[in-house]
Amino acid sequence: MEQRPLRKQTLVEQAIERMEQLIQSESWPLGSRIPPEPELVQAFGVSRNSIREALKSLIHVGVLEARQGDGTYVCSKSSLNALLFHQLKKADERETAEVRFCLEREIARLAAERRTESDIEEMRKWLRLSGEAHRMGDDSAHVQHDYRFHLALATATHNRLLVSLYESIAGAVQQSVCASVMRSETRSAEMTLIHEQLIDAIEEQDVNEAELLVRRSLQLAYR
């Protein structure tokens, strides 16, 4: 076997890795504004040029977004997520629905097989909060809580890669929820009922019913 020495990381690469860790751990949550450059220089113990190069690299791959006069924001948890998100933004509604169905059907199936009691509690919590926000007319909170409900479903698969893939389509999920809220109050009530039934099916480990309910929810979302 060919032996090659390990490559030493540059300060820029170390800064990139540290920033990615902060994003992955949600110390820098999605949508949040990261600290300004002077604070990063002090926190990371590297030069301003190193910080700038690290930021440029993460902006280039779509993990961060620089907003003129406002700061730099976290817009994805990884370069893979950023790539998939941008591809979904360019896709038409049919393509997005098909991708979501393939992914969410498998999520529902695995969640039904592997869920724990704490997984079920987490799903019910976010669905309840989503419903409460909707009744109060807080559409922004409703959409965010609905996304956390879907993320709790993905987490119940106990497959980290599936969770990461689902996070990458968060934008498409939130767009469809927003559209559903705007289209009809009746449709939102129908979706809540389907989600309640989906949790019940997963709790009862009824794989076939869980898959059927995912199909119904997506048919309703894109109707």
Side-chain angles (χ1 to χ4, degrees):
M1 183 178 68
E2 181 185 358
Q3 294 186 5
R4 291 179 295 177
L6 294 175
R7 185 172 61 89
K8 292 182 179 179
Q9 281 189 313
T10 66
L11 291 175
V12 173
E13 289 170 334
Q14 291 178 48
I16 291 171
E17 186 175 292
R18 175 79 180 279
M19 291 177 188
E20 289 176 331
Q21 289 171 351
L22 289 166
I23 293 167
Q24 290 290 332
S25 68
E26 296 193 350
S27 295
W28 290 358
L30 280 174
S32 67
R33 183 171 60 184
I34 70 171
E37 285 183 11
E39 289 185 28
L40 295 176
V41 168
Q42 185 173 7
F44 288 22
V46 297
S47 71
R48 192 158 191 163
N49 282 339
S50 294
I51 291 296
R52 284 179 176 172
E53 287 302 313
L55 292 174
K56 283 180 184 177
S57 177
L58 291 175
I59 289 168
H60 178 71
V61 297
V63 173
L64 297 176
E65 178 187 14
R67 300 179 187 174
Q68 189 66 35
D70 190 18
T72 303
Y73 286 77
V74 180
C75 55
S76 183
K77 293 188 77 170
S78 72
S79 56
L80 171 62
N81 286 7
L83 175 63
L84 289 173
F85 174 72
H86 289 302
Q87 288 297 316
L88 282 165
K89 280 180 70 177
K90 293 187 290 184
D92 62 33
E93 195 172 80
R94 176 188 59 81
E95 291 174 325
T96 303
E98 288 172 352
V99 169
R100 283 191 61 191
F101 177 68
C102 291
L103 186 58
E104 293 186 31
R105 178 180 59 186
E106 187 64 12
I107 284 173
R109 186 182 71 79
L110 290 175
E113 292 175 353
R114 302 174 179 176
R115 94 290 179 277
T116 64
E117 287 302 315
S118 62
D119 290 329
I120 297 297
E121 290 173 7
E122 192 74 1
M123 291 179 221
R124 293 197 189 281
K125 177 185 79 173
W126 289 114
L127 186 60
R128 184 185 72 253
L129 290 173
S130 176
E132 289 173 356
H134 183 57
R135 286 190 293 274
M136 293 174 63
D138 189 343
D139 290 343
S140 177
H142 168 61
V143 171
Q144 287 296 323
H145 294 330
D146 182 85
Y147 166 64
R148 293 301 298 266
F149 160 71
H150 283 91
L151 189 58
L153 272 172
T155 303
T157 67
H158 297 275
N159 181 315
R160 288 178 295 177
L161 183 55
L162 264 180
V163 174
S164 181
L165 285 170
Y166 193 79
E167 288 177 329
S168 72
I169 66 169
V173 173
Q174 291 173 335
Q175 285 172 10
S176 69
V177 173
C178 285
S180 181
V181 169
M182 291 172 65
R183 285 174 190 153
S184 165
E185 285 289 323
T186 303
R187 182 171 300 189
S188 295
E190 286 182 66
M191 188 66 78
T192 297
L193 178 59
I194 292 173
H195 285 164
E196 289 172 349
Q197 293 170 339
L198 177 57
I199 296 174
D200 290 340
I202 290 172
E203 185 171 27
E204 294 165 11
Q205 297 190 296
D206 189 335
V207 174
N208 293 333
E209 181 68 8
E211 290 185 1
L212 176 63
L213 288 163
V214 165
R215 180 182 291 275
R216 284 179 56 196
S217 70
L218 289 175
Q219 287 173 336
L220 181 60
Y222 292 97
R223 190 171 70 192

